[in-house]
Amino acid sequence: MLPRPVVLRTLRGHAGLKSARTGARYLATSSEKPVEPPKSWLTHKVETSPTAKRVFLGLTNLFGYGSPKQVAGRRTFGIYEHIAVTAPDKDRDFWQQSCYLPPTFQSWFTVANLHIWMLTVRFRALPDAHGRHYEQALIDHFFLDIEDRIRTVLQPPNEPTTPYTLETTFYQNPLTSQNSSEGEPKKKKKGRAPDRIVTRQMKIFKEQWAGMGLAFDLALVKGDMDMAAAIWRNLLGARGAQGISYPSETAKAQNFRRSVNLVGGEVVNVAKIDVEREERTDDGSGVHDFPPEESDKYVSYPGVMLDVVQYVRRELVRLQAVTDEEILAGDWEKLKFSKMSNPVQS
């Protein structure tokens, strides 16, 4: 699991970051004249005394509040919360209908990870004094959010808690979903899973993040064919890698195949694992080869890969046009991703 710097951990409980933005949005739309809260003694003293202001700023700088690392942590929180987290929902129909990704947390992580990678590509081009801090801070926020979401499912709190970032409708928490029949009670909460299970899940997601980032970094340099291959393996589940099953009298009703992580998770001795057996075991993720009666879905795959390659290339060029000044001290909302255009329809 990635390190959790104290400054980033405190962002989770920092009411000012969220409440200030929420209050600003409310006041901008309210017809009533806003009532300003009374200023504290410290605020009044700093505003009226140049000496006090100079001392106060000196103390904040002494504690590192204005350092490049601290500034990167604060600014990337807004970038992550309002740009990266919302990206999967913005094109949910494309990812779930054209790419046939199920509405699971694993699918959300995969799509969010793609957009995290595109942002880190842009951050690496920032000046050396800022680039590494922005990249690391964004990844830290990503994994703090992932851990928060995992614990919500595996270690449900007795009382509702404020999430690290925004709620998403891309996937549904099985603990809060209701049965199909109207009026049915909610599913019974499971017991709290031990921390070792949370740690294991975080390790798996970290390996997926690292593997996907490496694959896309290589594809970015080598060309569109490698980019399409990386998309097929990492986003589309490498469906059809072992061949396509067609309808016939002897065909099996269901033919699962999934990628097996041989270096992470629960695999200890690779030599002892039956890879073929594991590949044909349904892991519950929903990403597997199509059964024979749905083999026609493979026809749209080349077009889907082309759409995603064009999307990635277009967004990277657009991110390149956002200036360093706008990212470091200006309007970072210009980093917002555009919608997927002309998705292939099944």
Side-chain angles (χ1 to χ4, degrees):
M1 188 163 42
L2 293 180
R4 302 175 58 142
V6 174
V7 59
L8 297 181
R9 242 188 352 254
T10 58
L11 286 175
R12 185 175 184 178
H14 198 299
L17 286 171
K18 294 184 180 179
S19 62
R21 289 193 294 270
T22 304
R25 286 194 295 266
Y26 170 76
L27 293 176
T29 57
S30 176
S31 59
E32 299 180 0
K33 185 178 180 180
V35 179
E36 294 185 2
K39 295 180 180 180
S40 66
W41 172 87
L42 179 60
T43 302
H44 180 75
K45 188 68 175 177
V46 169
E47 290 180 347
T48 57
S49 173
T51 303
K53 182 177 182 179
R54 184 170 60 255
V55 172
F56 178 78
L57 293 177
L59 287 174
T60 58
N61 290 330
L62 179 64
F63 288 106
Y65 190 78
S67 67
K69 185 175 181 179
Q70 291 272 13
V71 173
R74 294 193 297 272
R75 286 188 65 82
T76 54
F77 181 78
I79 294 173
Y80 175 75
E81 183 180 33
H82 295 290
I83 295 179
V85 171
T86 58
D89 288 272
K90 185 180 294 185
D91 282 307
R92 181 175 57 182
D93 290 343
F94 173 80
W95 299 114
Q96 294 186 356
Q97 297 178 17
S98 296
C99 298
Y100 303 108
L101 295 180
T104 60
F105 178 73
Q106 174 66 65
S107 297
W108 177 89
F109 170 85
T110 302
V111 177
N113 194 16
L114 171 65
H115 293 84
I116 290 290
W117 172 77
M118 287 191 282
L119 288 171
T120 57
V121 170
R122 176 61 185 91
F123 290 163
R124 292 175 209 164
L126 291 172
D128 292 341
H130 303 280
R132 59 189 178 90
H133 294 310
Y134 270 72
E135 182 181 6
Q136 184 61 58
L138 181 67
I139 295 170
D140 284 334
H141 289 308
F142 185 33
F143 277 91
L144 285 171
D145 191 26
I146 291 170
E147 181 176 357
D148 184 81
R149 294 172 186 272
I150 290 176
R151 290 186 183 277
T152 300
V153 176
L154 297 180
Q155 297 180 335
N158 295 326
E159 298 293 336
T161 57
T162 303
Y164 185 75
T165 56
L166 305 177
E167 296 285 356
T168 176
T169 57
F170 193 94
Y171 69 92
Q172 193 172 37
N173 187 334
L175 297 182
T176 59
S177 61
Q178 292 186 343
N179 296 332
S180 57
S181 301
E182 187 176 355
E184 290 287 336
K186 293 183 179 180
K187 293 182 179 181
K188 185 178 180 180
K189 286 187 176 181
K190 301 177 182 178
R192 289 174 58 86
D195 280 346
R196 60 180 177 82
I197 296 181
V198 177
T199 302
R200 185 180 66 194
Q201 292 299 317
M202 290 294 294
K203 178 182 178 182
I204 293 173
F205 282 121
K206 180 183 177 182
E207 290 169 350
Q208 291 181 6
W209 160 78
M212 182 173 173
L214 182 61
F216 275 86
D217 280 345
L218 180 63
L220 183 62
V221 176
K222 298 191 68 174
D224 289 348
M225 291 182 61
D226 292 271
M227 181 69 72
I231 290 167
W232 173 63
R233 294 192 308 270
N234 292 276
L235 268 73
L236 304 180
R239 291 184 174 110
Q242 301 293 335
I244 299 175
S245 299
Y246 296 97
S248 67
E249 295 181 358
T250 59
K252 294 181 180 180
Q254 188 72 36
N255 182 27
F256 291 105
R257 196 209 64 79
R258 63 185 179 92
S259 299
V260 179
N261 187 359
L262 297 178
V263 296
E266 298 179 342
V267 177
V268 178
N269 190 338
V270 177
K272 292 183 178 181
I273 187 173
D274 187 343
V275 178
E276 183 176 353
R277 179 180 178 182
E278 290 295 325
E279 285 182 340
R280 297 189 178 278
T281 302
D282 183 13
D283 63 348
S285 68
V287 180
H288 50 73
D289 281 353
F290 296 122
E293 61 272 16
E294 296 181 357
S295 59
D296 59 326
K297 290 183 177 180
Y298 287 108
V299 176
S300 65
Y301 258 38
V304 169
M305 286 187 281
L306 177 61
D307 281 335
V308 182
V309 169
Q310 290 177 335
Y311 173 73
V312 171
R313 294 291 186 184
R314 183 182 71 243
E315 290 303 294
L316 288 177
V317 171
R318 186 188 58 79
L319 292 174
Q320 183 181 358
V322 181
T323 66
D324 293 346
E325 291 73 19
E326 288 170 331
I327 297 175
L328 297 176
D331 184 10
W332 49 256
E333 291 199 356
K334 292 184 178 180
L335 295 171
K336 281 188 175 180
F337 294 100
S338 59
K339 286 183 64 90
M340 182 76 65
S341 62
N342 301 322
V344 175
Q345 298 296 329
S346 58

